[in-house]
Each structure stands twice: as structure tokens, then as C-alpha cells.
């Protein structure tokens, strides 16, 4: 099978592939927790898209933390119910432009599926060119069961115990995708049960710096941003509010050639609620 050209593809590229029987298009939209903004064109989807339900089907449910990675078995079962097979090329988008689609990309990647990419600009870019859409089905569709096989790579995920040891590690750097205000404790957290501030020895890199009009910045611009941090030859650990926007920075770093990439899955939803844990502002 011909591999996808990049971790992201353009709407023009996707348009040419719509009739490929090995292609699966997934809508991974979730609501933005930090704003009242609603998804653009919530009643429409790219023609033939299937809904990748991060909140209900592709998150661990036996926890009070949002958006935690499910087990390999749970991920596999959910993929198979969407008709996804191991040979499929998977393109993921969301209706905000780029917001939650990188989270889905990261999950497929840690589950061993490499032939996956996000749609740069998402549904807004698709609709701007008046490309084929359809009304979202009111009820979930049933697909022929797929044969997707998940092979979980735990090295790409950091838990709380590991994170506590990483705050003083010299061979890693922690980048926080939340806004500067939330990072420095000058803006409130959207979840009332969380403290303000940031993980000690972490650095603020708001995910919005990496985007322009719902598109990832060009590689040379991304490199300029990453050059502000001393990250060469270090493991990069990405955090945010609940593990969603951390994946935007991770995808950007991956595109720039960085290799040792991890997500602190609990992110601030976990760190910010625990008593006695170190916090800086």
C-alpha cells in the first residue's frame, strides 16, 4: 500500500482520493472546553465520513478524568465497529479546523497504525472550496465489522507517576499547550475543581501559536517556534488541559522531525486536582 504523504494532507489531496476503497474518513470533532464556540456547520460532514466519538467510544470510561486513552482492546473494538481495518488509510478532521483531530491521530499512532493523517483546515477548509458534504445521520450507522488490530506503544504515553519524576529530568522538556493565562495562573481554569498554575519546570507553548485560520503553520514557521526552546535531542512531553491540544503540538513537532514524543495523558485535569502536588505560577 502507498503510504500517506505526511501526517497532514490538504483538501485538494483528499478530494482526489475520495473514491479510494481503502480510504476511511473520520470526523473526530469535540466541543472546545475553553470557549462557548460551537462547531462550524455541526449538521454537515464530509461525504462518506464516519464519526470518531472521542468522548464516548475512544476514551477510558472508568475514570473521572476526561479523554483518557482507552485500552488497546477497547480501542480495537471501537475501531472495528466503525468498519476500520488494518489496511485502511485514515484521514481525520474536525469541524473547528484543527483542534481534536490531532488527538485521534495520536491515538491511532500509539495503537500501531501508521497510515493516518489529519486534514489540514478541517471541515471549514473543505467547505470553503464547496467540496462534497452530506447531512450527518441522526442515528449511528452500522458498518461491516473491521479487522483493526491495536498494538499499544506505552512509550508514547506518560502517566502521573512518571510525570512526577520528569519535572527534574535533564533529558526531557515539558511543553504546555494551554494559554499563557492558564499556565501562569492569571486566567481561570474552565473546570472549577482545578487549581491554577503549571507543572514545575514546564514551558508555555499555547497551541494557538502553531495555527493560522485553522491550518498548521508551514514547517519553517513551526521550526522557528520550536527553536525558542532547548529541545534538541531531548524527549518532548506535551501537556494541556485534558490531553487534546497537547496533541496539536505533538503533531507539529513530529512534522518538524522530532522523534521522542510523549503526551502526559492526565494533563492538568489530573495534576491540577491533586492535593500536595507541586505547582508553579
Amino acid at each position: 500500500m502507498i503510504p500517506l504523504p505526511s501526517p497532514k494532507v490538504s483538501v485538494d489531496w483528499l478530494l482526489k482520493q475520495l473514491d479510494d476503497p481503502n480510504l476511511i474518513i473520520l470526523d473526530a470533532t469535540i466541543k472546545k472546553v475553553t470557549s462557548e464556540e460551537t462547531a462550524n456547520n455541526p449538521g454537515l460532514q464530509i461525504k462518506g465520513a464516519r464519526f470518531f466519538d472521542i468522548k464516548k467510544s475512544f476514551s477510558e470510561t472508568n475514570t473521572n478524568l476526561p479523554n483518557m486513552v482507552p485500552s488497546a482492546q477497547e480501542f480495537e473494538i471501537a475501531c472495528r465497529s466503525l468498519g476500520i481495518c488494518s489496511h485502511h488509510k485514515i484521514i481525520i478532521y474536525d469541524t473547528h479546523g484543527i483542534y481534536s483531530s490531532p488527538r485521534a491521530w495520536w491515538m491511532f499512532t500509539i495503537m500501531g497504525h501508521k497510515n493516518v493523517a489529519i486534514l489540514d483546515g478541517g471541515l471549514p477548509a473543505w467547505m470553503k472550496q464547496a467540496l462534497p458534504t452530506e447531512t450527518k445521520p441522526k442515528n449511528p450507522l452500522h458498518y461491516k465489522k473491521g479487522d483493526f488490530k491495536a498494538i499499544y506503544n506505552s512509550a508514547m504515553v506518560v502517566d502521573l507517576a512518571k510525570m512526577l519524576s520528569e519535572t527534574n529530568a535533564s533529558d526531557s522538556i515539558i511543553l504546555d499547550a494551554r494559554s499563557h493565562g492558564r499556565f501562569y495562573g492569571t486566567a481561570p481554569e474552565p473546570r472549577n475543581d482545578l487549581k491554577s498554575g503549571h507543572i514545575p519546570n514546564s514551558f508555555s507553548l499555547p497551541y494557538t501559536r502553531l495555527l493560522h485560520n485553522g491550518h498548521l503553520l508551514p514547517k519553517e514557521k513551526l521550526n522557528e517556534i520550536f527553536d525558542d526552546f532547548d529541545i534538541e535531542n531531548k524527549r518532548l512531553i506535551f501537556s494541556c488541559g485534558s490531553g487534546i491540544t497537547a496533541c496539536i503540538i505533538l503533531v507539529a513537532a513530529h512534522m518538524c522531525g522530532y522523534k521522542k514524543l510523549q503526551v502526559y495523558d492526565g494533563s492538568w485535569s489530573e495534576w491540577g486536582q491533586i492535593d500536595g502536588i507541586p505547582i508553579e505560577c
Side-chain angles (χ1 to χ4, degrees):
M1 178 186 298
I2 299 175
L4 292 171
S6 167
K8 70 169 185 176
V9 298
S10 68
V11 294
D12 292 332
W13 183 93
L14 180 57
L15 179 64
K16 295 175 183 177
Q17 309 298 319
L18 283 184
D19 294 328
D20 184 347
N22 293 315
L23 181 74
I24 296 284
I25 303 173
L26 299 177
D27 175 356
T29 301
I30 63 171
K31 184 180 182 296
K32 289 188 176 183
V33 70
T34 55
S35 102
E36 295 302 317
E37 177 185 339
T38 57
N40 294 311
N41 306 294
L44 295 176
Q45 65 182 23
I46 293 175
K47 184 179 179 180
R50 307 176 187 191
F51 184 48
F52 184 91
D53 193 338
I54 291 177
K55 290 292 186 181
K56 294 181 180 179
S57 301
F58 291 93
S59 290
E60 173 60 55
T61 56
N62 296 321
T63 176
N64 66 337
L65 298 173
N67 312 320
M68 296 292 285
V69 173
S71 69
Q73 182 181 24
E74 291 169 327
F75 189 88
E76 188 175 282
I77 290 171
C79 282
R80 291 181 176 187
S81 71
L82 284 177
I84 298 173
C85 297
S86 292
H87 71 271
H88 279 137
K89 293 182 289 187
I90 298 173
I91 305 300
I92 307 168
Y93 75 92
D94 63 65
T95 61
H96 299 290
I98 289 181
Y99 180 68
S100 49
S101 53
R103 174 71 181 191
W105 178 93
W106 176 71
M107 282 196 279
F108 273 105
T109 301
I110 67 172
M111 295 296 176
H113 193 79
K114 306 301 182 184
N115 221 13
V116 57
I118 62 173
L119 180 63
D120 196 26
L123 184 64
W126 187 262
M127 295 196 65
K128 187 176 181 179
Q129 295 192 32
L131 299 178
T133 59
E134 61 189 10
T135 302
K136 288 184 178 181
K138 292 183 179 180
N139 300 308
L141 299 180
H142 297 284
Y143 304 97
K144 181 180 178 181
K145 187 176 180 180
D147 66 6
F148 184 87
K149 179 65 178 177
I151 304 173
Y152 180 58
N153 181 3
S154 61
M156 296 183 68
V157 187
V158 177
D159 62 14
L160 177 63
K162 178 66 173 173
M163 201 64 185
L164 285 166
S165 67
E166 291 290 347
T167 58
N168 293 310
S170 60
D171 62 342
S172 65
I173 187 169
I174 305 165
L175 297 176
D176 190 322
R178 294 176 302 155
S179 68
H180 285 314
R182 292 172 66 191
F183 183 87
Y184 291 109
T186 60
E189 285 294 316
R191 299 174 181 86
N192 294 328
D193 59 337
L194 300 181
K195 305 176 183 69
S196 294
H198 59 265
I199 298 168
N201 297 319
S202 61
F203 296 86
S204 178
L205 178 53
Y207 76 91
T208 51
R209 285 189 62 192
L210 309 179
L211 302 175
H212 179 68
N213 291 334
H215 294 260
L216 274 172
L217 294 175
K219 184 177 176 180
E220 59 271 18
K221 295 292 186 182
L222 295 175
N223 273 318
E224 289 176 8
I225 293 173
F226 287 121
D227 285 345
D228 290 342
F229 305 91
D230 180 22
I231 60 178
E232 198 67 32
N233 299 319
K234 291 185 177 179
R235 286 182 296 108
L236 306 184
I237 302 172
F238 305 96
S239 182
C240 60
S242 62
I244 298 295
T245 58
C247 296
I248 298 175
I249 310 181
L250 182 143
V251 168
H254 178 72
M255 290 182 58
C256 290
Y258 295 100
K259 302 296 183 183
K260 303 173 183 178
L261 310 177
Q262 302 172 308
V263 167
Y264 169 32
D265 200 30
S267 283
W268 197 252
S269 293
E270 181 173 47
W271 195 278
Q273 69 169 281
I274 301 174
D275 292 333
I277 208 165
I279 290 176
E280 295 179 349
C281 289

